[in-house]
Amino acid sequence: MSRVRGTWRRLFTRTDRNATDTPVDERTLFAMATVIFLVQFPHLFHLPIWVSLLGGGLVGLRLWHHHAPHHKSLALVLSPVTVTLIAATAAVLLRLDYGYAVGRDPCVALLFVLVAAKFSEIRRASDATVLLCLSAFLLLTQYFYSQTILTALITLPEIVAMAFAMAVVRDPHNPATNAQQLRLVGKLLIQGLPLAAVLFVLFPRLPGPLWSLPEDALARTGLSDSMSPGSIGSLSKSNEVAFRVEFDGPPPPPHARYWRGPVLTEFDGRNWTVSEQNTAATPWHPPDAKVYDYTVMLQPHRLRWLFALDSAASLPRADQGANTDTPILGQLMADRQLIANAPVTSVLRYRQSSVLSNAMMPAHAPRASTLQLPGKNPKAIAFAEDLREQSTSDLDYAQRVLRHFNRDTFRYTLQPQLLGDAPVDEFLFDSKAGFCEHYSAAFVVMMRAADIPARVVTGYLGGEMNGDYMIVRQADAHAWAEAFIDGVWRRFDPTGQVAPSRVEQGLSAALPTESAVPSFARMDAGWLRSARLRWDALNHQWQRLVVDFDNDSQKSLWERLGLINPSLVHIVVLAMALSLAWGLFLFGMPSLNRSGLSRDEALWHRLCRLLSLNGFPRVPGESAAEYLQRVSGEWPRQRARLRMLSHDFTTLRFRRTDDTQAQRTRARIQRELLTLALGIRVNRWQRTRRPVANAEHA
Amino acid sequence: MRRYTLIGPPDQAMNATAAALNPFDIPASQQLVDVLDQLDRVLIGKREQVTLALACLLGRGHLLIEDVPGVGKTTLAHALSATLGLDWTRVQFTSDLLPADVVGVSVLDTRDNRFQFREGPVFTPILLADEINRAPPRAQSALLEAMEERQVTVDGTTYPLDPGFFVIATQNPADQQGAYPLPQSQLDRFLVGIEIGYPDAASERALLEHGDTRRNATQLDSLLDEERLAQLRDACDAVYVSAPVLDYLQALIQATRAVGTGLSPRAGLSLVRLSRAYALIAQRDHVLPEDVRAVFPALAGHRLTGQVQSGQARAREILDQVAMP
């Protein structure tokens, strides 16, 4: 690999001390402007418009000032005092705008303004250095908002621009053109990539919350701990990924993919909420049931729900390869929902096992709250009691209710009309159009009216296979019902009675014409859809391999390398060895053959060096044979060796030789050279010791 | 039998390799040493010059001798031709010399009314062109063309010269009055330019004692013949030039270009050829840097400054500047 040609002033030797104190020149200014623009750009999408305008405006003003330097008012605006005032004002305004000061958004916005302000009053090259550090920090803050592969790609040109600006700031008068400098910087960055990779893999990760983001950094999408008419319907319009699943074996069929989430018991006539009194249970499953093992990668939703397929048969455990004795991340409650130990604030990866079952053994007798009705829906209750009397059993009754949904003119729609104070009554007898939450709520109310314990279960129904993993989106959010009949909790999905295709094929099949269904949920979007699926797969890998590369992944990597709990020394040694190997690969073996000489010539030069070290330098115009003859005359002790070397070198260097002969000669020369070198070293050592010994005697 | 070498004792291994490589065996290559010894007896104390002249002959080049009269230029030509068993012709270049006087002329044969070509003095193995800078450029260029092409063209007909055609040209540096100095391009046609110089005291003493050597020269035994000479010339091409020596050659040529006009690539090729011939005379099958060093002034001198004396001084400076491998 070729050497990098020097258009780069050495970073660590500040030979030109004045460079940092000189006024900033045009080249530096525009390089810095490019950096600022690129770093600012991704932030424009989430900042308040006035912050964006202020930041961009300050940069623009500075460039204008460069264009028209004698503009008095412009100089006044860009004076350090004014800029400081502007920044201070912006800080106050930000506090007022966001309503709080310490948090991700206001702090990033403030940094954004400060970077622009610093640029606007840039005077000297040293300012540029400070500014570069600031923009590097602003660049990093992009990752507070998104850690997708796209974000990483966006930062690439920014990094190149920063490296370029660094080169320009260091050495503004370098005659190299911008293209040459860019090429150099690109080459240096590419050469640095493997080192970055080594550091990424080997640098010890800090476990836990030190890396976690501030509270406001997490978007809030997903199922909540309450349900009211329309809440899931609005969720269904979201394309966002709720979680991804990797199954160890084949996945369950689509109609059985009930992902159990919050179980809602409390009902105030309109809203459903989770029960406060919940106790932990131990996971259990019939011994003959088929167990599905899988890994869930849950997107952060800031609540404590974990999702498991149907009936959880294990506790969620951290995913650490084959290791089975891993930390337990949550517990299973009596109503068979999984609760995490802590709110999920970053992508959470956990191992889970499940069985498919639509009838669950209760952990304890149903609580009173599963029967409680606020009495706000009198028509429904009356209808239920009437229907119950016609039924032979609780199960028969439940079937009759489902049949009622099926036979009557119920419609399944994402856009039901708004319901009033008695939503169940209005839904059952007037509008007869609703989404899954309407059906499940109505079903539970009717069960409870017939003195059958019942509850609403929210979660996701469905999931789409993308290669070897499954994507479950917010659009798959669903609500169904469970009723306690004959001593077990049975699942009833009244939506399935109205729109069977929702259960079988997903939302878009059930709602073919409604535009509110996210385009992505539709089956027939063609190449766009497949492209987006591929993009999701890429992001999934990115999340799995890069973003999720944490302390645990590192530990399992060490174990795979045969190092259990390596010490810092091990890590440092390994990192340095890898870096050294890369350096050697780039710049060649520095000490062995830097001269570009052939092997034999290098040997000859070694002999010349040795002899001149011993006080016999070569005279110009003296041939090799003459040189050795002269030295052997002046150094009789080595005469025989030198004569032999002379002959061997002539053979090796000037004569036509075959390979075996050359090799023999070369080996002899190397041996003789080694002996000679040793003798010379010993001589020199003795010579340096003698005066010291004399001094001691004196 | 006395063995003469320029550099050092040849060892057995080398001789074996040389025998394997060359179309002649080592005793035959010994012939060259005998040739040298014989020439040395005629031109006393001029071993270096004689060796260079022989190398020039073997290297298929032409020889330019620049010196005052009476130091043995003609004797050298005599001795070479006699020793090698070749014929030779002498042309005295004067200011009224015409090209036809050199290459020959077509004359009308009255018996059958046809032009018949009368060969000039160039139709000979060895041509001694005395005082070449006295002739006008027309005559000079006629000769120089013959030297380069080894053929002459008269009235549209091309006549080949002797395949071993070898020119020994002399010029007198001290007497430039009314002379036509050879231009740079034509000097390049001479492979070697040497001075003979006065003999040293001992040699001159021997010369005085043994009388005129020119008479001796005509009575020399011929040690080689044309066929043998052609074989030896082919053997020159088989001499091995190693990479370090090539590097050295290149460095030397490069160094001549640092100031003024340097050596041309053609001169570089000539240098390789001459070094090979020199190594062959020294009974080696490979070129040593010492060979290059020995022939370099003779090759570069007249090419660098147009004059052998000043040019060789310049060439020696260059030799001191360029590190030997």
Side-chain angles (χ1 to χ4, degrees), chain A residues 112-297:
Chain A
F112 182 88
V113 172
L114 286 182
V115 166
K118 183 67 200 169
F119 178 76
S120 73
E121 59 106 29
I122 185 170
R123 292 280 182 285
R124 303 188 175 284
S126 53
D127 292 341
T129 313
V130 172
L131 190 53
L132 269 175
C133 296
L134 275 177
S135 20
F137 196 67
L138 187 61
L139 185 150
L140 277 183
T141 57
Q142 287 173 33
Y143 289 103
F144 290 167
Y145 293 90
S146 158
Q147 303 179 3
T148 61
I149 201 163
L150 196 65
T151 319
L153 288 178
I154 285 174
T155 49
L156 282 185
E158 299 169 11
I159 288 169
V160 172
M162 287 183 77
F164 176 74
M166 225 143 130
V168 169
V169 168
R170 283 282 149 193
D171 193 6
H173 305 296
N174 197 313
T177 63
N178 286 346
Q180 283 171 327
Q181 287 280 61
L182 259 183
R183 219 169 301 146
L184 172 78
V185 161
K187 204 185 229 174
L188 286 171
L189 284 176
I190 288 171
Q191 288 177 350
L193 271 183
L195 297 186
V198 164
L199 285 179
F200 172 81
V201 174
L202 298 185
F203 194 83
R205 298 292 161 129
L206 295 172
L210 203 66
W211 290 120
S212 66
L213 296 169
E215 269 296 287
D216 64 345
L218 295 159
R220 179 82 180 74
T221 322
L223 292 172
S224 68
D225 53 359
S226 70
M227 181 183 88
S228 55
S231 64
I232 290 184
S234 66
L235 204 55
S236 292
K237 290 166 190 159
S238 166
N239 255 340
E240 267 184 67
V241 173
F243 52 88
R244 298 183 176 90
V245 191
E246 285 171 351
F247 283 95
D248 292 0
H255 64 84
R257 294 173 188 164
Y258 281 92
W259 299 95
R260 196 178 177 89
V263 178
L264 311 177
T265 318
E266 311 291 328
F267 182 51
D268 66 356
R270 183 178 174 82
N271 292 320
W272 294 85
T273 49
V274 292
S275 167
E276 297 293 324
Q277 340 160 321
N278 217 341
T279 52
T282 48
W284 175 88
H285 64 88
D288 53 342
K290 174 169 169 48
V291 179
Y292 288 91
D293 294 317
Y294 50 91
T295 310
V296 180
M297 279 136 288

Side-chain angles (χ1 to χ4, degrees), chain B residues 3-169:
Chain B
R3 278 188 153 187
Y4 178 83
T5 55
L6 288 166
I7 305 307
D11 60 276
Q12 292 306 309
M14 185 211 81
N15 282 351
T17 325
L21 286 167
N22 294 340
F24 58 94
D25 49 357
I26 288 302
S29 141
Q30 179 68 29
Q31 277 180 321
L32 282 174
V33 180
D34 294 340
V35 167
L36 267 184
D37 283 345
Q38 182 162 317
L39 290 172
D40 205 22
R41 277 200 299 279
V42 179
L43 216 65
I44 301 166
K46 295 295 172 196
R47 182 118 208 166
E48 185 62 33
Q49 284 82 345
V50 169
T51 313
L52 282 169
L54 187 60
C56 178
L57 183 74
L58 287 175
R60 297 188 179 91
H62 303 283
L63 178 67
L64 177 68
I65 302 175
E66 183 182 277
D67 223 325
V68 291
V71 291
K73 291 173 292 201
T74 318
T75 312
L76 179 61
H78 267 287
L80 264 179
S81 56
T83 309
L84 302 180
L86 303 172
D87 292 334
W88 71 286
T89 316
R90 175 184 175 142
V91 179
Q92 184 68 41
F93 277 45
T94 55
S95 55
D96 56 356
L97 189 79
L98 294 175
D101 297 336
V102 179
V103 296
V105 67
S106 294
V107 289
L108 187 66
D109 190 333
T110 47
R111 270 173 300 179
D112 52 1
N113 269 355
R114 284 179 59 178
F115 278 99
Q116 181 131 29
F117 181 62
R118 291 272 178 84
E119 292 183 346
V122 292
F123 289 87
T124 181
I126 296 183
L127 177 74
L128 176 62
D130 231 350
E131 308 250 34
I132 191 170
N133 56 345
R134 294 252 147 241
R138 268 180 80 197
Q140 282 178 3
S141 61
L143 174 67
L144 292 162
E145 194 187 329
M147 286 161 62
E148 183 67 18
E149 314 287 336
R150 286 199 158 82
Q151 64 184 28
V152 290
T153 304
V154 176
D155 297 336
T157 317
T158 301
Y159 304 97
L161 298 181
D162 188 281
F165 180 57
F166 178 55
V167 173
I168 303 174

